[in-house]
Amino acid sequence: MTQNLTKVVFWGVRGSTPTVERDSWRYGGNTSCVELTTPGGSRFIFDCGTGLRMLGNHLHALNGRWTKWRGDAGVEAHVLVTHYHWDHIQGIPFFHPFFEAQNRFHFYSYESKYLGRNSLRQVLEAQLAKPYFPVDVTTMAAARTFRAVEGGDQWDLDETHVRAAWLNHPQGCLGYRLDTPIGSVVYATDNEPGVAEFDDNLRQLAQGADVLIYDAQYSPEQLASTRKGWGHSCWLEGVKIARESKVKNLVLFHHDPDSSSSTVDGFLSAARQEFASTWAAMEGMSITLNGKGADIVLPEARLGQRRRLCFPALVSGCTEDGAAFEEKATVRDVSVQGAYLCLSNRPRLQSELRVVIQGSDDPSEAGALSLRATVTHCEPRRDKGQNGVGVFFIEDAEPEPPRD
Ligand SMILES: [Zn+2]
Ligand SMILES: [Zn+2]
């Protein structure tokens, strides 16, 4: 089905290695994998980290639904691989569409000096070699083509223009830019700033892009000290590039496996102080470009039981325009992780709110429940002037230790 939209979906946002810790899952634990579909229906996949498995399940289900009315035409995609570190290739053996004969995949990456010709094919097949995987590569029935590309190359795929540029990362890494009929998206992860040649490459690649997905693994302090030379970047560099290259939306990506959700929250809010249109990549998040702007949708984060209720709350936070607000509101339901609120203000997605729920029996301040929350959803309600706002409760910052 074709629509007049370009859509980006984040299937894996973590760098280096997958995480399953409770305090990391709000942003997601799968490693790098981003899908882009164009208005004409062409599908691109950036990187094959562990997020690729979930994309595979999604495509399998989608193809099953299509099969009813158009026959099994299979899945076709262009797979742009940035480099061969584990976190960018480890999803390959777990991507079901590779094992189905009706599907077609076109791979692009560079010839590594450590692997030589057919580098990408070798990487793919080595993961299914004995004794690393139970079945061998002959079970991978989908048609596959491999094309070696390098920094500076550009080519057309269907209605989309693709450009590749070298980034600064141990053993090499490519950044990609896709200019689709509706909007441009740059995927530039695994890059350490500070080498003029690569810094220039990236700025040229990102020039005027609607969306820049950028490596923000470390804090600026880590990048300047203990993590110097590890090949990664930070939110502050992302902000500088976004400003200098007149990028419209900056997405912080490749979160460190040791970064908790609240650490990523902190990077995001620091970045937003400098560059307002910043987002933090979240597993399941989508960005739709429709020619007028970027529409961001966050994944459903509230998995707990919901209890319907109706009681008053005092809510304070920031609107989409950045203005502070405080209003009396109604809590309509509560679940273990979050709540659905009715507000007259429209708070910004991924911004922080303070929700003070006032006990109806005891309106005194002492009886109030004060909760820190992040906005995951916001849409107008049918009741006049009200917005339905989904929030996810986050832990309060550690209290300051008592002073003597
Ligand atoms: Zn990586
Ligand atoms: Zn890497």
Side-chain angles (χ1 to χ4, degrees), residues 274-295:
E274 307 284 327
F275 188 79
S277 290
T278 306
W279 311 91
M282 194 173 251
E283 210 168 288
M285 172 172 132
S286 69
I287 302 178
T288 305
L289 300 174
N290 54 20
K292 296 187 196 107
D295 188 20

Side-chain angles (χ1 to χ4, degrees), residues 16 83 87-88 190 232 254:
S16 307
H83 65 306
D87 51 323
H88 300 260
D190 295 58
H232 294 288
H254 204 272

Side-chain angles (χ1 to χ4, degrees), residues 13-70:
V13 302
R14 195 63 59 176
S16 307
T17 191
T19 60
V20 291
E21 292 96 321
R22 276 179 64 85
D23 67 358
S24 75
W25 72 259
R26 183 155 50 83
Y27 282 97
N30 279 301
T31 62
S32 306
C33 180
V34 176
E35 177 197 18
L36 181 147
T37 42
T38 68
S42 301
R43 175 168 279 109
F44 292 84
I45 300 169
F46 294 114
D47 277 334
C48 300
T50 61
L52 187 69
R53 182 181 65 83
M54 295 200 307
L55 170 57
N57 294 344
H58 166 75
L59 293 178
H60 184 80
L62 202 62
N63 194 48
R65 286 204 292 278
W66 285 344
T67 300
K68 286 179 194 144
W69 54 272
R70 58 149 213 200

Side-chain angles (χ1 to χ4, degrees), residues 142-180:
R144 305 184 300 278
T145 65
F146 298 89
R147 175 170 164 177
V149 295
E150 57 180 309
D153 283 359
Q154 41 187 311
W155 64 101
D156 289 308
L157 292 172
D158 305 327
E159 75 237 305
T160 296
H161 189 67
V162 185
R163 276 166 59 194
W166 289 119
L167 302 179
N168 184 32
H169 194 61
Q171 299 113 44
C173 182
L174 290 172
Y176 294 101
R177 175 184 179 119
L178 300 189
D179 282 290
T180 77

